[in-house]
């Protein structure tokens, strides 16, 4: 009898919904929100574990999110449902912020300042007004993993109505931005905010960009000053003005990636006192151009476990189906 009821219920559910049953989704969220960074520079310096080992709370409104993010000690925060507002959420150390499938944040951005060990995963963040900073701002922090996020603005608004989607500054270190969809935005992603910040940034800003998808962004995909940046398995589609802007001695390695229907400035240098450098290995420029001098960063210089190169020919089909809020 019990068994029959369960079978009938399950059948009814499967018929009614194309999604996984709720219990299964909760189980997936529980497991994935406990995972440590497993890719790129955020595996260094002792690794990035976020809130693991601490409690888990679920938040459904801006005030609860703000309060949870500033707590002391390790904490996992599950974002549930559609949340709108206007806020710059300060994130304290040892936090994982994980978006449940179907959740979203509109007008609400994160400011990860002078903290360490933070994971931001599976979040969909849109339309954060410039007065609230970036969708995700990482400032003077170490060990941060941004993974499977969907980040966007609105190109119908003015260029400075929004700031960046992921901006990394003030000597931040051991950061990975992976499987993230950057789209419909003016200034996508900035590494190193000023030519005059060599004192903090030179020899710092070790960052990995892996498996990301840039679509219909205007500039900064990303813009890099001073840093050591490994970009792999990335798809740039329909860039409006420019792609990877290498400045102020930045050393960049771009591997196994592809550009499509993009402006002439795929990999270039502009608007700083000094150029940066890039090594390109299996990059399909899709008719666009690389105009920066060849640098020195190679795979053998990377301190972490190799990231599997998917190959430039596979990128245009593989990356759009994995990048974004897809966990
Ligand atoms: C974060 O967690 C680590 C490891 O448990 C601990 O050493 C550190 O003090 C914590 N940081 C803060 C600011 O609580
Ligand atoms: C190519 O990119 C431009 C700039 O983003 C866009 O306006 C246009 O629609 C794209 N064309 C195609 C065929 O995707």
């Amino acid at each position: 009898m019990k068994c029959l009821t369960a079978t009938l219920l399950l059948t009814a559910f499967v018929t009614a919904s194309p999604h996984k049953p709720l219990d299964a989704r909760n189980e997936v969220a529980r497991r994935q929100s406990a995972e440590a960074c497993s890719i790129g520079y955020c595996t260094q310096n002792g690794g990035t574990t976020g809130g693991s080992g601490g409690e888990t709370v679920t938040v459904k409104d801006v005030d609860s999110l703000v309060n949870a993010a500033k707590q002391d000690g390790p904490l996992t925060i599950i974002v549930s449902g559609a949340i709108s507002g206007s806020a710059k959420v300060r994130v304290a150390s040892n936090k994982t912020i994980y978006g449940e499938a179907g959740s979203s944040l509109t007008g609400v951005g994160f400011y990860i300042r002078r903290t360490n060990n933070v994971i931001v995963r599976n979040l969909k963040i849109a339309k954060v007004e410039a007065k609230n900073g970036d969708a995700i701002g990482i400032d003077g922090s170490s060990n941060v993993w941004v993974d499977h996020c969907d980040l966007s603005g609105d190109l119908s608004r003015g260029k400075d109505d929004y700031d960046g989607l992921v901006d990394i500054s003030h000597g931040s270190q051991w950061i990975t931005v992976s499987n993230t969809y950057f789209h419909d935005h003016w200034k996508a992603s900035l590494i190193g905010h000023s030519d005059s910040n060599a004192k903090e940034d030179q020899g710092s800003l070790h960052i990995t960009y892996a498996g990301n998808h840039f679509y219909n962004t205007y500039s900064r995909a990303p813009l890099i000053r001073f840093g050591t940046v490994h970009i792999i398995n990335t798809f740039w589609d329909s860039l409006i003005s420019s792609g990877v802007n290498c400045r102020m001695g930045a050393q960049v390695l771009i591997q196994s990636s592809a550009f499509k229907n993009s402006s002439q400035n795929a990999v270039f240098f502009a608007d700083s006192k000094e150029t940066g450098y890039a090594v390109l290995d299996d990059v399909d420029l899709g008719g666009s151009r690389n105009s920066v001098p060849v640098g020195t960063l190679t795979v053998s210089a990377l301190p972490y476990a190799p990231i599997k190169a998917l190959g430039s020919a596979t990128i245009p089909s593989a990356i759009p189906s994995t990048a974004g809020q897809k966990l």
Side-chain angles (χ1 to χ4, degrees), residues 2-15:
K2 227 176 183 175
C3 195
L4 182 64
T5 314
T7 310
L8 285 173
L9 277 174
L10 189 66
T11 311
F13 196 93
V14 169
T15 315

Side-chain angles (χ1 to χ4, degrees), residues 49-313:
T49 53
S52 76
E55 311 255 281
T56 298
V57 294
T58 298
V59 298
K60 300 183 174 186
D61 59 68
V62 177
D63 289 348
S64 315
L65 174 59
V66 168
N67 286 328
K70 68 181 181 200
Q71 299 297 315
D72 286 334
L75 184 66
T76 295
I77 302 163
I78 309 278
V79 174
S80 179
I83 300 177
S84 307
S86 171
K88 180 176 189 172
V89 180
R90 285 290 290 260
V91 183
S93 292
N94 300 333
K95 297 289 173 294
T96 294
I97 303 169
Y98 179 94
E100 246 178 30
S103 68
S104 62
L105 290 163
T106 306
V108 178
F110 293 95
Y111 191 36
I112 302 166
R113 178 161 193 257
R114 295 189 192 157
T115 63
N116 45 64
N117 193 28
V118 172
I119 296 174
V120 177
R121 212 171 181 209
N122 212 43
L123 289 175
K124 183 172 187 177
I125 307 175
K127 299 182 183 173
V128 179
E129 303 268 347
K131 66 170 192 243
N132 289 322
D134 309 302
I136 300 170
I138 303 168
D139 173 338
S141 294
S142 65
N143 292 93
V144 180
W145 185 27
V146 175
D147 182 58
H148 276 104
C149 289
D150 177 323
L151 309 173
S152 64
D154 180 357
L155 287 164
S156 72
R157 297 282 304 275
K159 190 166 188 272
D160 297 314
D161 288 347
Y162 302 122
D163 204 337
L165 294 176
V166 176
D167 283 9
I168 305 170
S169 64
H170 292 284
S172 290
Q173 277 279 48
W174 320 122
I175 315 278
T176 298
V177 179
S178 52
N179 308 305
T180 287
Y181 182 32
F182 295 86
H183 62 107
D184 303 294
H185 195 80
W186 287 100
K187 301 176 285 187
S189 187
L190 171 70
I191 298 169
H193 72 291
S194 163
D195 281 10
S196 11
N197 206 46
K199 212 173 149 201
E200 270 185 317
D201 291 342
Q202 214 155 44
S204 194
L205 298 171
H206 286 82
I207 302 167
T208 305
Y209 276 65
N212 298 312
H213 181 196
F214 290 86
Y215 174 74
N216 201 32
T217 57
Y218 182 81
S219 64
R220 306 188 179 178
L223 185 170
I224 308 164
R225 291 185 179 93
F226 301 108
T228 299
V229 178
H230 178 208
I231 302 176
I232 182 169
N233 297 332
T234 297
F235 185 40
W236 292 270
D237 186 6
S238 300
L239 300 183
I240 300 163
S241 172
S242 62
V244 186
N245 186 348
C246 305
R247 310 198 202 171
M248 298 306 292
Q251 291 287 349
V252 182
L253 167 63
I254 310 178
Q255 263 191 295
S256 170
S257 292
F259 290 82
K260 186 184 158 198
N261 180 42
S262 288
S263 91
Q264 279 303 295
N265 290 323
V267 182
F268 75 118
F269 158 66
D271 305 324
S272 271
K273 285 181 295 204
E274 295 165 31
T275 189
Y277 303 87
V279 170
L280 271 60
D281 172 11
D282 184 24
V283 176
D284 178 355
L285 290 166
S288 188
R289 276 193 316 238
N290 163 29
S291 56
V292 302
V294 177
T296 56
L297 186 63
T298 55
V299 176
S300 59
L302 298 170
Y304 45 77
I307 299 171
K308 188 180 188 306
L310 300 176
S312 60

